[in-house]
Amino acid sequence: MSLVKRHPIITFFVLTYALTWAIESPLVFLTDSVTATQGLVLVILASNVPSAVAIVLTAIVLGRGALRKLLARLLIWRVNPFWYLVVFLGPVALTGGVVLLNSLMGGPALSLGMTLVGAAIFFAFSVVPGSALGEEIGWRGYVLPRLQSRMSALSAALLIAPIWALWHLPLWLTGEPGRTPTLYTGFLVSAFALSIIFTWVYNSTGGSLLMIVLLHATVNLPLTLVRDDLGPQATVPVLLYFGLLVVAAIVVVIVAGPKHLSRKHKKQEEERAAESGVATPPGAVKPTPA
């Protein structure tokens, strides 16, 4: 317990990697023996590890009060309407850019790949029990505030990015269609862009995990639909999407500033008072509605 208190971030990374990769190992090493249903169950279980680890560590080390504060961030919905536009229309705008660029490059016609009702159901599934809620209590709710109490928001976002991307690696080693080395390279680059964008939204909405969970799901939705619909032909559209995410992240850094990644000049930091009984450090922001 003392070790966990001294190294809360490293403990989180070690446990998250160990548990996730252990769960996903059959998908890599026993591919022919795992049925589609079994594979789906393993992927869902693994996708929820980061948030589960964050919840357990917070409850055990910091207590129920700290856990309530962490989970309360999922209820921060009263934010500036602008952020709902970012969450829901941002990925739509990026997808429109991909459709335009892909058409100009002579690529295959892009379509939704399923009905609107089907897409809505898939979106809801990707929130829970899918990876959006299963990841973000951990990456943004637990890790990000602790890193931001030690460094700038941009530095924290860039530090999380490769660890976050590498955590997904087993899924890219399963041999599934669309899981190619080229796309993984693009995914790795896009993780830096997404980490910046997620940090920007998180800091700008007073630490709303609800906004981050929804954004995680909306950003993933076009990628999944295009990859599943086009198969091998999805490489160029997916890489275009990754590229536009990078452009969007650069704009965010320029507009919001690297120190806080927020025009409010505030970043969400770890509340040390909950751990040690000392005053909350200057600049720390409690999870209140923006």
Side-chain angles (χ1 to χ4, degrees):
M1 193 68 66
S2 176
L3 180 65
V4 173
K5 288 184 177 181
R6 291 199 305 270
H7 305 287
I9 298 176
I10 294 177
T11 302
F12 171 85
F13 289 151
V14 170
L15 290 176
T16 298
Y17 265 72
L19 292 173
T20 302
W21 286 17
I23 293 171
E24 292 177 341
S25 59
L27 300 175
V28 178
F29 300 110
L30 302 173
T31 305
D32 297 333
S33 303
V34 179
T35 66
T37 301
Q38 291 171 337
L40 178 61
V41 170
L42 290 175
V43 169
I44 291 175
L45 288 174
S47 297
N48 283 272
V49 166
S51 291
V53 170
I55 289 171
V56 171
L57 288 179
T58 302
I60 292 177
V61 177
L62 303 180
R64 287 180 294 180
L67 179 59
R68 283 195 296 269
K69 289 182 179 180
L70 173 63
L71 297 181
R73 293 183 179 274
L74 291 168
L75 303 178
I76 300 177
W77 62 272
R78 296 180 62 183
V79 301
N80 190 310
F82 169 78
W83 297 108
Y84 283 97
L85 296 178
V86 170
V87 166
F88 288 105
L89 297 186
V92 173
L94 293 178
T95 302
V98 170
V99 171
L100 177 61
L101 292 174
N102 187 68
S103 176
L104 292 175
M105 296 172 62
L110 300 179
S111 62
L112 188 59
M114 62 174 66
T115 64
L116 288 175
V117 173
I121 294 173
F122 186 86
F123 170 79
F125 184 85
S126 66
V127 172
V128 61
S131 62
L133 181 61
E135 289 187 38
E136 291 306 337
I137 297 175
W139 300 118
R140 251 54 64 172
Y142 183 89
V143 176
L144 181 60
R146 285 172 167 77
L147 290 179
Q148 290 194 134
S149 66
R150 308 176 185 184
M151 60 188 72
S152 71
L154 179 60
S155 297
L158 295 178
L159 181 57
I160 290 175
I163 301 171
W164 182 33
L166 186 61
W167 174 77
H168 290 83
L169 182 60
L171 294 179
W172 292 83
L173 300 176
T174 58
E176 292 184 7
R179 304 282 187 178
T180 65
T182 299
L183 283 183
Y184 182 73
T185 301
F187 170 76
L188 178 61
V189 173
S190 74
F192 286 88
L194 279 174
S195 188
I196 291 171
I197 294 170
F198 283 10
T199 301
W200 169 57
V201 173
Y202 188 69
N203 286 342
S204 299
T205 58
S208 173
L209 279 177
L210 174 63
M211 291 292 102
I212 296 301
V213 167
L214 293 176
L215 181 58
H216 189 135
T218 56
V219 166
N220 280 352
L221 185 61
L223 288 172
T224 304
L225 295 180
V226 168
R227 189 177 65 237
D228 292 347
D229 186 43
L230 295 181
Q233 293 182 301
T235 299
V236 172
V238 170
L239 290 178
L240 287 173
Y241 191 77
F242 289 157
L244 291 179
L245 283 173
V246 172
V247 173
I250 292 172
V251 172
V252 164
V253 174
I254 293 173
V255 172
K259 184 175 181 180
H260 300 99
L261 286 180
S262 169
R263 305 232 15 213
K264 294 182 178 181
H265 302 295
K266 294 180 180 180
K267 57 182 179 177
Q268 299 300 307
E269 297 182 6
E270 174 191 11
E271 292 189 39
R272 296 186 184 277
E275 297 187 34
S276 60
V278 298
T280 303
V285 181
K286 295 183 179 180
T288 54

